[in-house]
Amino acid sequence: MKKTIVTSLLVLGTLSAKAQSYVGFLTDNYSGVNSLIANPANITDSRFKTDINIVGASTFFSNDYYGLKLGDVITSDFDFDTDGKKYPKDSNNFFGNADVLGPAFMFNLTPTSSLAIFTRGRVGYNVNKINGNTFESLSNGFDENDDLMIDEEDVYLTANAWAEIGVTYAQVLMNKDQHFLKGGISLKYLQGMGNAYASGKNITIDYDADGTPLPGGQTTGSIASVGEVNYGHSDNIDDNFEDFEVEIVDGATGFGVDLGAVYEWRPDYASYASTDGSNSFQHLNKYKLKFALSISDIGSINYKNGTQNTYDITATVNEDDFDNEDNLEDILNNLYTQTSVDAIEKFALPTALHFNVDYSLNNRFYLNLNTDFSLRSNSKVNTNRVPTMVSFTPRFESKWFSFYMPVSLTQGSGAQWGAGFRAGPLYIGSGSVMTLLLSDNSKAADVYAGLKIPVYQGKPKDRDGDGIVNRKDDCPDEFGPIENNGCPWPDTDGDKVTDKDDKCPEEAGEVLNDGCPLVDSDGDDVLDEDDKCPNEPGAAENQGCPWPDTDGDGVLDKNDQCPNEMGTVANNGCPEAAEVTEEVQKQLNDYAKTILFNSGKASIKAESTSVLVDIMSILKEYPEAKFTVEGHTDSVGSKTTNQKLSESRAISVKDFLIEKGIDSSRLTAVGHGEDKPIASNMYKDGRAQNRRVEINLVK
């Protein structure tokens, strides 16, 4: 009985879940048609004219229950049951897949769109939430006297094999300066080739080694179980759940979809734009940073002729009856209660979200970060799922050779380190080979290999380097513009101005004159192109125009200090100043003598303001004349005091006149004290005449 239970559980345990394929290789920009597995948008604007995959195969297994070192398996007498490390938990998980990419090819429809047709065979299997302690108990080889308690609660097991025939279309969606975006879609016709699944709810099994008495005083074990078991399978799996033959199953078809988009940041986009647009540099990677997002395996397969059985295993049976049954299905049919028979559940593809970032260190070395995240629940019946995986892959990449060393963190299996390469038509690698060789506790293993026929984008030939490829260049060996089909423009008159820009193409001229000879129509040595008066001789300083004489006084405006007022040549174009006559001089002094000051002070009395205004009017009539304001006193008082008083009064009059608008450069002030009397100081009237201010013309 124990062997039957162990066999049943281990067989189901080895049916692990669909997981990642071609780890590391799919980060390569030269993975070609294989890249549609990761993201259907990859096939357009690729490094290929066409890429033909002959065959490629990838297999992957990971779990969180069992670990080993590959070297021990190869070099020693390794016992998987006793020498490996086990990590039983209440909920262990197993993941794995086999993925064969058959004949497939891609080609470019236009410079911005591509098409691929592919065939693919896949086997996906998984065990979710199985109790690892059950495995541990059953595999330890206990004797028949040991009791056993199995507490499985809920468990989900799924295995499926299917084939795909698909078509992928990808299109450039945006190509604007440094921003580039492309999208793609894969439509897949699915052919089921075998499906089996099982689930259990609230399962417990209590094995009592001698719980059932037999005749003659013998005993045998008894098995008390509780719970519900549900399993389904396609019609190519007969009565034994362990028989899984991969073959085409009638009525088992479905459809799947993959969606993807890729954004590239191209800061050096100007370096990848030819003059005529004929060279899109598709032979080169043009991005500094690339982001890719995709959703794979949206869809399902309907096994129309499959069946699903549900059993209530709440019962107690003896060990002999259990051992007499041939297989698990006989055990369920003969020893427990079948509660329903239904059509098989649709098999749901392992839908997953993939996010990828690729950074270009230069045109050979890259750093890649990739995340795979399952969009399927681990507690859904008849559903494959991928384990969440994060991979960091540094790589060297060139047209004919690439090498990569992915470091991955896989759900349940921990860190993995791998290596792989592509050499022309051959690609081979593993995402876990280094861990398997170096670690004594590897919980994952994968390997892939394949052959293809790559036809790379060639570097367009442009011998003269004018940005126009040879096949479109009318003069492939001479540098020329696109406007002239790659040929240099002619220069018929040899004046270094090409005919297309030469306004006088058959007459040698000057570059600055658009190829025409320079002209001076009025002979003033100012060329017409610079002459604002080309038909009238003029001065170069006046841009070829004659100098004007606005006021007509014979003095040109440029020399006329009074250009809007007629004057004389002798006076620089200004009118001659009026002459101050003796009569005017006398009138000024008659006014000046009446200016009154406060006694013994230099302050002018208010009643003298009108006199000063009259003096100002006379001075303004002679704007070019200069005058001296002279102060005088009588002899009363000290001579020093009288000198200072006369100076102060002269300055007061001068300041008043300047304040009222007379130019200060025209006036000076001086005091004579009592030195220049005009009458006798012996008498009162004489002294009054001597106290005076005079305004005299400076000759």
Side-chain angles (χ1 to χ4, degrees), residues 329-601:
E329 189 164 2
D330 287 342
I331 292 172
L332 292 172
N333 283 326
N334 297 330
L335 301 181
Y336 299 104
T337 303
Q338 185 175 29
T339 58
S340 67
V341 178
D342 300 302
I344 192 173
E345 293 275 353
K346 283 186 178 181
F347 165 72
L349 295 179
T351 308
L353 177 70
H354 312 278
F355 179 67
N356 186 279
V357 181
D358 203 44
Y359 179 74
S360 173
L361 297 173
N362 53 44
N363 61 356
R364 287 290 183 265
F365 293 94
Y366 297 80
L367 298 176
N368 185 273
L369 181 67
N370 184 76
T371 300
D372 303 308
F373 181 78
S374 175
L375 299 181
R376 295 293 188 184
S377 169
N378 66 350
S379 58
K380 182 174 176 59
V381 173
N382 203 17
T383 300
N384 278 165
R385 62 187 298 271
V386 303
T388 295
M389 175 187 282
V390 178
S391 300
F392 175 74
T393 305
R395 75 179 186 278
F396 169 82
E397 178 180 295
S398 66
K399 178 187 291 187
W400 290 104
F401 179 80
S402 294
F403 179 76
Y404 15 86
M405 297 192 76
V407 177
S408 305
L409 188 63
T410 306
Q411 178 186 358
S413 300
Q416 309 296 324
W417 181 22
F421 70 90
R422 173 188 54 82
L426 173 67
Y427 53 94
I428 187 170
S430 167
S432 57
V433 62
M434 303 303 292
T435 305
L436 287 167
L437 294 173
L438 301 176
S439 172
D440 59 357
N441 190 28
S442 297
K443 296 180 183 177
D446 74 293
V447 65
Y448 61 85
L451 284 171
K452 58 164 54 189
I453 302 174
V455 181
Y456 300 112
Q457 295 279 5
K459 180 179 180 180
K461 300 296 188 296
D462 180 14
R463 287 196 298 272
D464 56 13
D466 58 5
I468 305 169
V469 297
N470 292 344
R471 59 188 174 82
K472 291 193 174 184
D473 197 332
D474 287 351
C475 302
D477 296 308
E478 290 184 90
F479 192 97
I482 177 60
E483 296 85 354
N484 202 36
N485 296 322
C487 292
W489 292 107
D491 179 13
T492 303
D493 54 15
D495 59 4
K496 297 183 180 180
V497 180
T498 58
D499 288 0
K500 73 180 185 68
D501 299 319
D502 199 332
K503 292 182 179 178
C504 303
E506 297 183 356
E507 183 181 7
E510 298 294 330
V511 174
L512 297 177
N513 199 36
D514 297 327
C516 292
L518 299 175
V519 177
D520 179 14
S521 301
D522 54 13
D524 58 3
D525 295 329
V526 180
L527 299 176
D528 285 3
E529 63 173 3
D530 300 319
D531 198 333
K532 289 194 173 179
C533 303
N535 298 311
E536 185 179 5
E541 300 91 328
N542 199 37
Q543 297 178 308
C545 291
W547 292 107
D549 179 13
T550 303
D551 54 13
D553 58 4
V555 181
L556 299 177
D557 286 1
K558 70 183 183 71
N559 300 318
D560 197 333
Q561 294 182 5
C562 304
N564 297 309
E565 184 179 7
M566 183 175 291
T568 65
V569 174
N571 202 34
N572 297 320
C574 291
E576 295 287 349
E579 184 176 350
V580 180
T581 63
E582 290 184 2
E583 183 181 354
V584 172
Q585 179 68 70
K586 181 177 183 304
Q587 186 180 12
L588 277 174
N589 283 326
D590 287 345
Y591 281 133
K593 290 176 182 178
T594 64
I595 298 173
L596 300 177
F597 298 90
N598 291 310
S599 179
K601 297 181 180 180

Side-chain angles (χ1 to χ4, degrees), residues 584-643:
V584 172
Q585 179 68 70
K586 181 177 183 304
Q587 186 180 12
L588 277 174
N589 283 326
D590 287 345
Y591 281 133
K593 290 176 182 178
T594 64
I595 298 173
L596 300 177
F597 298 90
N598 291 310
S599 179
K601 297 181 180 180
S603 54
I604 301 171
K605 288 186 176 181
E607 56 263 35
S608 297
T609 300
S610 60
V611 173
L612 288 167
V613 171
D614 291 339
I615 292 173
M616 284 175 56
S617 297
I618 295 173
L619 295 181
K620 287 181 178 180
E621 291 179 9
Y622 304 93
E624 301 299 322
K626 296 183 179 181
F627 295 90
T628 300
V629 181
E630 301 176 2
H632 301 271
T633 66
D634 59 21
S635 61
V636 178
S638 70
K639 187 171 184 177
T640 299
T641 300
N642 289 335
Q643 178 65 35

